[in-house]
Amino acid sequence: NTLALVPGTRLGVYEITAQIGQGGMGAVYRATDTSLSRQVAIKVLPDAFASDPERLARFEREARTLASLNNPHIAGIYGFEKFSGMHALVMELVEGHDLTRRIARGAIPLDEVLPIAKQIADALAAAHEQGIIHRDLKPSNIKVRPDGTVKVLDFGLAKAMDSPAFGLRWSRPRCLVSRLAFPA
C-alpha cells in the first residue's frame, strides 16, 4: 500500500495539505498547485493497485472518462500524473459536503431536493450523451457546494458504451423526464 502522504509532501508542482478521503481506488488529498496557485484534489492509486494491470487500466480509464466530460455538475480533471512510480489523478477540488451528511440530518424538503436532483440529472444526462454510465452513483459521490451547486464525483467504475443505440436509449427518456419533473 502507498504510505499516507503527509502535509508538505511534494508531488511535482503539487504540495499536499491534507488527506480528505479514502475510497476503493485510493486516497484523496487536498493539495496546492504551486504553479497556478489553486487548490486541487489528488487521488493517488495505492502501490498494490498500480502493479495490477487491470486496476491501473481502470484508473487510467477514469482519467480519460473525466477528460471527455465537460459539465458544470461533474467535477473536472486537470491531469493524470506519475510521480516516482506513483499514479495520481489531479482534479477539481469541490468544497462542501457530500449528500450522505445532508441525508443524515433528516428528510430533505422538496424545495431543497428538487434543485439537487435536477443538477444530478443534468450531470448524468451529460455523461450519457457521451456514452458514459457512472455505475457508482451514491450519496457519498455527490457533493453540494456552499452555493448550492452540485458536483457528481468518482467516475472510477464508469463504463463507456460504444453502441450508437446507447445515446438514443438515454437521450429520449432524459428529455421527457426533464420536461415532466423540471419544467422551465
Side-chain angles (χ1 to χ4, degrees), residues 76-153:
I77 185 166
Y78 301 142
F80 178 72
E81 305 287 340
K82 294 177 187 169
F83 308 101
S84 302
M86 186 182 307
H87 296 80
L89 298 180
V90 181
M91 302 173 292
E92 171 185 5
L93 177 68
V94 181
E95 300 288 356
H97 300 291
D98 66 38
L99 274 183
T100 304
R101 233 171 149 173
R102 177 59 190 92
I103 291 167
R105 292 194 329 239
I108 304 174
L110 191 59
D111 64 337
E112 186 181 339
V113 80
L114 284 179
I116 291 171
K118 181 184 184 316
Q119 292 176 72
I120 294 168
D122 287 347
L124 295 177
H128 294 169
E129 287 168 4
Q130 295 298 314
I132 297 166
I133 300 173
H134 188 283
R135 296 189 341 145
D136 195 23
L137 191 66
K138 56 189 176 188
S140 62
N141 286 339
I142 299 166
K143 271 201 168 180
V144 181
R145 294 188 340 200
D147 69 0
T149 302
V150 171
K151 295 278 189 170
V152 176
L153 312 172

Side-chain angles (χ1 to χ4, degrees), residues 30-94:
R30 179 186 195 106
T32 300
D33 177 338
T34 59
S35 66
L36 297 175
S37 300
R38 68 176 170 183
Q39 297 296 297
V40 297
I42 298 181
K43 182 192 258 185
V44 178
L45 187 66
D47 291 341
F49 292 172
S51 62
D52 177 344
E54 186 176 314
R55 297 263 185 155
L56 183 56
R58 187 169 126 192
F59 200 63
E60 291 174 350
R61 191 170 44 250
E62 179 179 5
R64 284 191 303 278
T65 298
L66 285 172
S68 73
L69 299 172
N70 182 14
N71 182 275
H73 302 296
I74 297 173
I77 185 166
Y78 301 142
F80 178 72
E81 305 287 340
K82 294 177 187 169
F83 308 101
S84 302
M86 186 182 307
H87 296 80
L89 298 180
V90 181
M91 302 173 292
E92 171 185 5
L93 177 68
V94 181

Side-chain angles (χ1 to χ4, degrees), residues 172-183:
R172 287 185 185 141
R174 177 195 56 82
C175 293
L176 178 60
V177 169
S178 294
R179 283 194 301 260
L180 293 174
F182 310 107

